[in-house]
Amino acid sequence: MAEYEYVLSSIDGAVGIVTLNRPKQLNALAGPMMRELVDALEGLDANQDVRAIVITGGPTVFAAGADIKDMSDATPVDMLLRNNIGLWDRLKKVSKPLIAAVAGYALGGGCELAMLCDIIVAAENARFGQPEINIGLMPGAGGTQRLTRSIGKFLAADMILTGRMLSAEEALQHGLAARVVPHELIVDEAVRLGKQLAKQPPVALRLAKEAITRAFEGRVDDGIEFERKTFYLLFATQDAHEGMQAFIERRQPTYQGR
Ligand code: CAA
């Protein structure tokens, strides 16, 4: 099994487990971490012994979003050339069921990562949000499209335009999370669900997953492309850099509308 710096990859029975492992930074998704995550998932997807895959950050935090410190000085061209978000197109190609086991914060890119999975299991302490607006940005990895499709336009707009977070219970009520479990059991419960899936007929499982994905993602690609370009474009605004710098300096941002 490959060794990584920012993620742990393991197998329990027929269930692959990828654990985001940058807890001090609340699993902020830096570029190298995203590359490792995609690589680990593709490795498990290719492994014949694995039938379902859990993505988790453990019982405390899932992921607090893209790494703001990485992006605070970036220009739109830097973002376009790095195209870290483009890596996630590969995640959509994973053929085995993906279970997001979410405890604590799943914000920005973290929430978007969970929404790239097939089933979201939330711990009682989970908090889902797309708070990019608070730092002068907007979701860039599918949030405007997948959150809107998951929970409906009006609640999604409330979250994306105000930065409001949903609790686990709210996420369950609005169809973002499929189940809520005690936080100390989050990984065990997700693996138990993975083992249940692993007993299902693999070909039917794979094709059913693909069919569900088509129902969800059909015609979403145009929206995703638009979102990604506008996200990158926001790096041309002074407000985005002010917002990210204010986060780093732990102060309130002052926006000028430029
Ligand atoms: N990027 C970089 N570092 C982050 C981070 C992020 N997204 N989120 C948290 N961290 C770091 C903090 O800077 C801090 O590091 P230091 O100890 O080195 O200062 C550490 O993680 C702990 O964070 P806090 O001290 O802030 O913890 P808290 O409990 O007070 O607050 C929080 C938790 C509310 C999640 C807060 O950290 C926060 O608001 N984080 C940013 C959330 C956010 O805006 N996410 C969206 C990012 S942009 C994005 O994801 C774009 C996209 O669509 C692809």
Side-chain angles (χ1 to χ4, degrees), residues 22-29 34 61 63-71 79 85 88 105 107-110 112 129-135 137-143 165 227 231 235 244 247-248 250:
R22 208 184 163 215
K24 287 201 182 116
Q25 300 300 305
L26 306 184
N27 290 332
L29 296 157
M34 286 168 67
V61 63
D67 191 318
I68 299 167
K69 292 163 193 164
D70 260 8
M71 305 186 298
M79 295 300 288
I85 300 168
W88 287 18
Y105 293 115
L107 302 180
E112 290 164 320
Q130 297 287 161
E132 292 89 342
I133 198 82
N134 293 335
I135 53 167
L137 291 172
M138 59 176 277
M165 294 182 206
E227 179 201 72
F231 175 73
F235 285 77
M244 290 187 280
F247 172 78
I248 291 167
R250 297 178 180 272

